[in-house]
Amino acid sequence: MNITEIRLNVVSMPLKSPFYTHLGTVTDREGIILEVIDSDGVSGFGEGVAFSTPWYTEETVKTSLHMITDVLIPLLMTAAIKQPEDTVRLFQSVKRNNMAKAGLEMAIWDLYAKRNSQSLSSIIGGTRGKVASGVVIAADSPNRSLKQIETYLEEGYQRFKVKINPQMDYSLLAEIRRHFPELPLMADANSAYTLTDINRLKSLDDFNLLMIEQPLASDDIIEHSFLQKELNTSICLDESIVSFEDAKNAVELGSCKIINIKAGRVGGLFEAKRIHDYCHDKGIEVWCGGMIEFGISRAHNIALASLPGFTIPGDISASSRFWEEDIITPEVTIENGYVAVPDTPGIGVAINKKRLQETTVLEKVFKFQ
Ligand code: OSB
Ligand code: MG
């Protein structure tokens, strides 16, 4: 691959409705769209998924921009990239900043797949023609949560996730279970609890949840291992797993029975696939998490979720879940609870140039020598 140019667009778009978590409310989403172009004019697309503020991880749009512009692209300019793995090796000299790295690495995966006339799904070893679709309910009241569940059930979603915290857990889940006794339901705490809440967390075993996601601290693996021994409900780790080594430690310590894999959080598709392969081998179930992202990142998620170990419906919802109009064409749609995995080269979607332009707040072009 002979990269000649990288185009970067920071886009900003309002969500259709606010996304409430105990750490803050997301009403507008900024994202970094990256296009890597080679000397034959082939383009690969990636998306930096850091948020505007560091509520979910330490990265932000601004820190990502700094890393991408001042560190990672200059590194790419010094190296010959033959395959995506070369990018991973090259970026090893930079600590963390996983979302910034992933944005570029995933664009290079898309370019690599296109150059090989293969879909991204097939080039990473995907085996599914469609992936099961789940959705997140992040409303500000139990009533509005119930309403959203009803709407999304009608749209065909197969798995429902609600955000919980010590102020809003048992009563919310009881209300949901009263209306929807059989709903495939899980809860995501985004680290809202500590071990002192152990009895509260145990009480949630009443609700036959598929899993409880990230109950304890975002950098903890040890205490989750203690908690998992005390709970009937499976723990799923999200924030705690930022590398293959974290996944291995968590599995070996029994800190979780399920892992939510997000390529952005772990530094790209290569690392995401390594974690998947390891978990598949160990019989640990995985699913693909979401980042309230735009269509480029969703398209990558769909390819990732087509790997054989992704046995639980992910946070892979339609473009219309968050956006009036997405930046890709065609948009992501749900049919009978599934999203089709494209079999056309690369991520299988094109950028919607008009929508990209009208949502762009900053544009940069990097020319390689
Ligand atoms: O914790 O999984 C999370 C959104 C943003 C950041 C973190 C998380 C989430 C979600 C929703 O739960 C993901 C989505 O549907 O895009
Ligand atoms: Mg989560």
Side-chain angles (χ1 to χ4, degrees):
M1 285 182 278
N2 182 22
I3 299 171
T4 54
E5 189 175 314
I6 294 181
R7 306 182 78 91
L8 179 159
N9 286 54
V10 178
V11 296
S12 177
M13 222 190 273
L15 272 67
K16 274 178 158 177
S17 59
F19 189 92
Y20 297 96
T21 78
H22 78 102
L23 296 169
T25 303
V26 183
T27 53
D28 292 271
R29 181 70 162 114
E30 285 181 301
I32 303 173
I33 307 303
L34 291 156
E35 178 180 8
V36 175
I37 307 166
D38 77 1
S39 52
D40 296 320
V42 184
S43 284
F45 288 91
E47 182 176 325
V49 295
F51 289 95
S52 308
T53 62
W55 69 273
Y56 171 71
T57 66
E58 67 278 17
E59 291 182 86
T60 67
V61 171
K62 277 193 179 154
T63 68
S64 281
L65 269 178
H66 163 53
M67 290 310 300
I68 291 169
T69 344
D70 302 325
V71 179
L72 300 173
I73 289 180
L75 263 179
L76 275 176
M77 286 177 169
T78 66
I81 303 292
K82 293 206 173 66
Q83 52 192 5
E85 202 180 328
D86 299 339
T87 318
V88 179
R89 221 170 288 124
L90 186 68
F91 289 173
Q92 265 168 7
S93 62
V94 179
K95 302 285 182 238
R96 301 286 187 123
N97 292 284
N98 286 348
M99 292 176 184
K101 289 175 180 171
L104 284 167
E105 190 241 25
M106 291 161 85
I108 286 168
W109 269 107
D110 182 31
L111 174 60
Y112 178 69
K114 283 170 176 160
R115 289 200 60 88
N116 286 279
S117 306
Q118 255 185 285
S119 71
L120 180 60
S121 164
S122 81
I123 217 159
I124 64 173
T127 52
R128 291 168 212 280
K130 57 183 184 177
V131 299
S133 191
V135 69
V136 183
I137 309 296
D140 58 346
S141 78
N143 265 339
R144 273 188 279 272
S145 299
L146 291 172
K147 278 226 176 65
Q148 285 192 12
I149 292 172
E150 217 167 272
T151 309
Y152 293 135
L153 258 177
E154 277 166 23
E155 291 179 23
Y157 287 102
Q158 300 196 35
R159 192 234 59 201
F160 295 75
K161 167 164 134 184
V162 287
K163 296 287 191 182
I164 55 162
N165 61 71
Q167 281 72 49
M168 178 64 80
D169 48 14
Y170 198 93
S171 60
L172 171 67
L173 293 167
E175 189 67 4
I176 293 173
R177 273 293 176 238
R178 198 161 68 80
H179 287 81
F180 305 100
E182 306 293 332
L183 193 77
L185 180 66
M186 58 173 290
D188 186 358
N190 290 110
S191 305
Y193 300 85
T194 67
L195 273 186
T196 60
D197 300 308
I198 192 150
N199 289 328
R200 240 200 130 77
L201 290 164
K202 274 188 187 176
S203 74
L204 306 183
D205 279 342
D206 289 353
F207 300 115
N208 187 29
L209 300 176
L210 296 168
M211 69 195 87
I212 177 168
E213 186 177 341
Q214 197 70 38
L216 306 179
S218 59
D219 57 356
D220 171 76
I221 288 177
I222 306 286
E223 290 191 347
H224 280 99
S225 134
F226 178 74
L227 180 63
Q228 180 65 90
K229 289 175 184 62
E230 301 295 316
L231 296 186
N232 293 331
T233 307
S234 295
I235 293 177
C236 168
L237 289 179
D238 174 356
E239 286 91 326
S240 291
I241 309 297
V242 301
S243 67
F244 172 81
E245 287 72 23
D246 288 341
K248 189 162 165 287
N249 288 336
V251 170
E252 283 182 1
L253 285 174
S255 310
C256 62
K257 295 182 179 159
I258 300 170
I259 292 179
N260 162 345
I261 302 183
K262 296 180 184 176
R265 200 190 63 227
V266 302
L269 269 180
F270 185 82
E271 192 80 350
K273 189 173 150 46
R274 269 182 89 202
I275 295 171
H276 159 274
D277 293 351
Y278 172 79
C279 290
H280 197 43
D281 195 47
K282 297 279 173 197
I284 299 291
E285 290 194 278
V286 303
W287 55 278
C288 181
M291 284 292 289
I292 318 181
E293 60 253 286
F294 301 109
I296 294 294
S297 177
R298 285 281 149 141
H300 280 276
N301 289 351
I302 292 162
L304 179 62
S306 75
L307 293 174
F310 284 80
T311 49
I312 300 171
D315 287 344
I316 298 184
S317 47
S319 293
S320 63
R321 161 68 181 85
F322 294 118
W323 317 120
E324 288 296 345
E325 187 184 2
D326 205 339
I327 56 159
I328 54 160
T329 175
E331 294 200 343
V332 176
T333 54
I334 309 294
E335 233 169 282
N336 300 319
Y338 291 91
V339 177
V341 179
D343 56 9
T344 46
I347 54 174
V349 295
I351 201 90
N352 175 340
K353 286 195 176 128
K354 180 171 163 288
R355 186 61 174 155
L356 182 73
Q357 277 316 318
E358 72 192 20
T359 55
T360 290
V361 293
L362 176 77
E363 209 168 344
K364 284 177 186 255
V365 180
F366 304 85
K367 302 253 188 218
F368 284 44
Q369 291 302 336

